[in-house]
Amino acid sequence: MSAFTLNDLITIMRRCAGELDEVQLTGDIADVPFQDLGYDSLALLEATGWIAREYAVSLPDDVVTSIETPAELVAFVNEKLDRAA
Amino acid sequence: MSIAAITGVGVVAPNGLGTAEYWSATLNGTSGIDRITRFDASSYPVQLAGEVSGFAAEAHLPSRLLPQTDHMTRMALVAADWALADAAVQPGEMPEFDMGVVTASASGGFEFGQRELENLWGRGPEYVSAYQSFAWFYAVNTGQISIRNGMRGPSGVLVSEQAGGLDALAHARRHLRKGTRLVLTGGVDSSLCPWGLTAQIPSGLLSRSTERGRAYLPFDAAAQGYVPGEGGAILVMEELEIAKAGCDRPIYGVLAGYASTFDPPPRSGRQPRLRRAIELALSDAGVVADDVDAVFADGAGVAELDRVEAAAISAVFGPYGVPVTVPKSMTGRLFSGGAALDVVAALLSIRDGVLPPTVGTGRPAPEYQLDLVTGAARPGTVRTVLVLARGYGGFNSAVVLTAPQV
């Protein structure tokens, strides 16, 4: 059981960066690049800031350029959480 | 040389959302000035403002834009949408580098900025929104309008306080002359948060009155300062021949002349330069004083500034020589949005043959020798209008608008 799920990420993305009218965060979006979901690096920076605060993990700033999809970000955050545990 | 036509307007004003609502309220003398509700201003020396009411950003904009925009940017984006719709322009159908955006700004997104600075000092840097990196910038309205509409042509922002609304239009005209096909221009501003209001109070120019109908009285002997407001207008500017080619589209009028001057330092003994701005703008438009049917005045509502403006108008047009009006008496002064909204009002006056009244002021101080439109709207032929705007610190700008040639 992951501590941080795709649903958690979607909730945070909606709250901190909103959604486009034409691209909804529904269906299987785990492997859809953030770019295609309408999120630029600034939206990701905002989201990783929220995750870092809510889950008390530290995420490096360059995560926003190295990570491309929601699945990758979820895995990365869980890895950090595991390491901290 | 190309001729700059206005083919679409979008209005967000304290006395009306959208052009039709604003214009109807303005002709009826309906004021949008009331007690500040955005925050608890009861302990502030300034209690009244022209707030835009009934504006629900989420009804007009995708949720993606809300976390990254200040209130003023949301209003600017919606005004831009309305202006484009009014001009029947689909930005997606035009080459992206043929369209530019030039807006004016006076202070930036202060409400957003205040919230994030409070986060910074109250909770720590990790609580500051990443969008603070641009959401409070002067240029943010231009940038967001450009991104939303895919307009990548020459763009910019002009910062000259209340004069900015006119300076932006003139800069848009420069871009048209250099070959840009369409420019979205104007200004929308808001500084009605504790920080924004506090920053304005030291100027000493704001009215401390709590009487809605008597707080802002341009050219009145009892003038005691102005009421701040929020909102403004975005306009679509296109080359006249291109505008004419699009059938079924309104052409509101032409930006025929413009000039700006800068005042000498206080106590220098030299004359203010507003009169010179008027003369240069008339000359740029190729018209003489007799051609001008109305003046939409800056109307500071501050005795010393009213005196300077009245003297400039009388010097150029003669005592009681031209009808003068200040529709911003119903909205308060909207900073970069004020003059852009005045330009819209002037264009609608040309369209409908009627001048909106100045409210509050019952009779202008006799020494000003002004034919001020008060009491009710004044019907009459309106083909050429002079719009004046002054920005804090010495900016003077003047624009001449003329009826579209047929």
Side-chain angles (χ1 to χ4, degrees):
Chain A
M1 178 73 191
S2 299
F4 182 71
T5 66
L6 181 62
N7 274 337
D8 295 332
L9 174 61
I10 289 173
T11 304
I12 285 177
M13 293 304 294
R14 282 206 176 112
R15 202 164 38 172
C16 74
E19 272 176 287
L20 293 175
D21 281 344
E22 56 276 16
V23 188
Q24 300 289 312
L25 298 180
T26 50
D28 189 9
I29 57 155
D31 297 313
V32 181
F34 283 114
Q35 204 72 310
D36 297 346
L37 295 170
Y39 296 114
D40 51 19
S41 57
L42 209 53
L44 277 184
L45 193 62
E46 182 75 356
T48 52
W50 278 60
I51 295 166
R53 295 196 302 260
E54 299 216 346
Y55 291 82
V57 286
S58 88
L59 301 172
D61 285 349
D62 63 8
V63 73
V64 304
T65 47
S66 59
I67 277 178
E68 289 182 6
T69 66
E72 285 174 38
L73 182 54
V74 168
F76 185 83
V77 172
N78 280 313
E79 194 185 311
K80 287 275 176 191
L81 287 171
D82 287 347
R83 215 173 292 167
Chain B
M1 188 144 45
S2 69
I3 296 172
I6 310 296
T7 57
V9 299
V11 168
V12 179
N15 61 344
L17 265 186
T19 308
E21 209 179 293
Y22 161 72
W23 188 230
S24 142
T26 299
L27 289 181
N28 286 327
T30 307
S31 174
I33 292 173
D34 212 330
R35 281 198 170 273
I36 293 172
T37 62
R38 195 68 51 71
F39 64 98
D40 179 7
S42 56
S43 62
Y44 287 68
V46 172
Q47 306 263 321
L48 299 179
E51 288 182 348
V52 170
S53 58
F55 178 80
E58 60 279 7
H60 304 287
L61 298 171
S63 68
R64 181 76 181 81
L65 281 173
L66 300 181
Q68 56 179 284
T69 44
D70 181 80
H71 177 56
M72 61 135 200
T73 302
R74 298 170 182 179
M75 293 193 292
L77 284 165
V78 172
D81 285 355
W82 289 345
L84 287 167
D86 188 36
V89 167
Q90 312 278 350
E93 293 172 4
M94 285 173 70
E96 56 188 4
F97 287 100
D98 282 357
M99 302 175 287
V101 185
V102 179
T103 66
S105 179
S107 53
F110 265 29
E111 195 174 74
F112 195 109
Q114 172 169 0
R115 188 181 64 228
E116 298 309 324
L117 288 176
E118 283 172 358
N119 282 339
L120 175 64
W121 298 116
R123 305 168 75 194
E126 66 273 24
Y127 286 88
V128 176
S129 165
Y131 295 117
Q132 171 80 343
S133 59
F134 61 72
W136 64 335
F137 282 9
Y138 287 125
V140 71
N141 290 358
T142 286
Q144 289 283 18
I145 292 171
S146 158
I147 293 166
R148 177 163 168 80
N149 297 290
M151 299 177 160
R152 306 183 70 184
S155 296
V157 59
L158 284 102
V159 180
S160 44
E161 219 253 334
Q162 311 256 353
L166 299 185
D167 296 336
L169 266 68
H171 199 59
R173 183 176 70 159
R174 286 183 202 113
H175 287 317
L176 286 191
R177 286 175 170 172
K178 289 183 198 160
T180 303
R181 248 175 87 180
L182 178 151
V183 185
L184 270 180
T185 184
V188 175
D189 237 328
S190 176
S191 273
L192 299 180
C193 61
W195 180 29
L197 187 63
T198 302
Q200 297 163 46
I201 290 171
S203 75
L205 304 179
L206 269 64
S207 172
R208 296 179 176 223
S209 167
T210 52
E211 251 185 290
R212 289 180 68 230
R214 300 285 301 160
Y216 177 30
L217 304 171
F219 300 114
D220 196 303
Q224 52 185 317
Y226 67 82
V227 169
E230 64 177 357
I234 299 291
L235 299 86
V236 178
M237 188 183 281
E238 296 176 85
E239 206 284 314
L240 183 65
E241 290 310 313
I242 294 176
K244 277 184 185 164
C247 44
D248 295 339
R249 297 187 330 133
I251 295 178
Y252 287 98
V254 165
L255 199 174
Y258 162 81
S260 64
T261 59
F262 201 76
D263 283 336
R267 292 172 297 279
S268 68
R270 286 150 57 200
Q271 290 301 306
R273 304 282 290 164
L274 180 63
R275 175 184 174 178
R276 188 69 184 136
I278 298 174
E279 292 166 344
L280 289 169
L282 294 179
S283 155
D284 182 44
V287 301
V288 295
D290 276 353
D291 296 325
V292 175
D293 299 308
V295 175
F296 282 60
D298 177 60
V302 174
E304 188 188 333
L305 293 167
D306 284 353
R307 192 172 301 119
V308 167
E309 187 171 31
I313 293 171
S314 293
V316 175
F317 298 96
Y320 306 100
V322 64
V324 175
T325 193
V326 188
K328 64 170 75 75
S329 53
M330 291 171 253
T331 62
R333 287 169 71 83
L334 311 185
F335 306 93
S336 73
L341 188 61
D342 274 346
V343 165
V344 171
L347 291 167
L348 296 170
S349 288
I350 290 173
R351 183 189 73 184
D352 295 345
V354 59
L355 295 174
T358 305
V359 307
T361 306
R363 198 169 66 96
E367 57 171 307
Y368 295 154
Q369 301 187 305
L370 288 184
D371 171 16
L372 193 70
V373 180
T374 57
R378 187 188 295 181
T381 303
V382 185
R383 294 193 58 79
T384 303
V385 180
L386 174 71
V387 181
L388 302 179
R390 285 175 293 181
Y392 185 73
F395 299 96
N396 304 297
S397 292
V399 149
V400 176
L401 302 162
T402 57
Q405 297 120 322
V406 235

